[in-house]
mmCIF file of all heavy atoms in Angstrom:
data_model
loop_
_atom_site.group_PDB
_atom_site.id
_atom_site.type_symbol
_atom_site.label_atom_id
_atom_site.label_comp_id
_atom_site.label_asym_id
_atom_site.label_seq_id
_atom_site.Cartn_x
_atom_site.Cartn_y
_atom_site.Cartn_z
ATOM 1 N N ALA A 766 4.772 4.439 48.765
ATOM 2 C CA ALA A 766 6.040 5.147 48.950
ATOM 3 C C ALA A 766 5.811 6.375 49.809
ATOM 4 O O ALA A 766 6.626 6.760 50.632
ATOM 5 C CB ALA A 766 6.679 5.484 47.624
ATOM 6 N N ALA A 786 -5.323 16.452 21.743
ATOM 7 C CA ALA A 786 -5.245 15.380 22.703
ATOM 8 C C ALA A 786 -6.316 15.593 23.806
ATOM 9 O O ALA A 786 -6.610 16.701 24.174
ATOM 10 C CB ALA A 786 -3.852 15.372 23.333
ATOM 11 N N ASP A 837 6.313 24.559 48.543
ATOM 12 C CA ASP A 837 5.879 25.192 47.269
ATOM 13 C C ASP A 837 6.678 24.606 46.133
ATOM 14 O O ASP A 837 7.420 23.590 46.318
ATOM 15 C CB ASP A 837 6.141 26.729 47.376
ATOM 16 C CG ASP A 837 7.587 27.086 47.572
ATOM 17 O OD1 ASP A 837 8.464 26.162 47.622
ATOM 18 O OD2 ASP A 837 7.885 28.308 47.749
ATOM 19 N N ASN A 847 1.194 3.465 28.648
ATOM 20 C CA ASN A 847 0.572 2.255 29.105
ATOM 21 C C ASN A 847 -0.645 1.728 28.304
ATOM 22 O O ASN A 847 -1.443 1.057 28.863
ATOM 23 C CB ASN A 847 0.120 2.340 30.554
ATOM 24 C CG ASN A 847 1.296 2.420 31.517
ATOM 25 O OD1 ASN A 847 2.193 1.646 31.520
ATOM 26 N ND2 ASN A 847 1.269 3.459 32.354
#
Side-chain angles (χ1 to χ4, degrees):
D837 63 2
N847 291 307

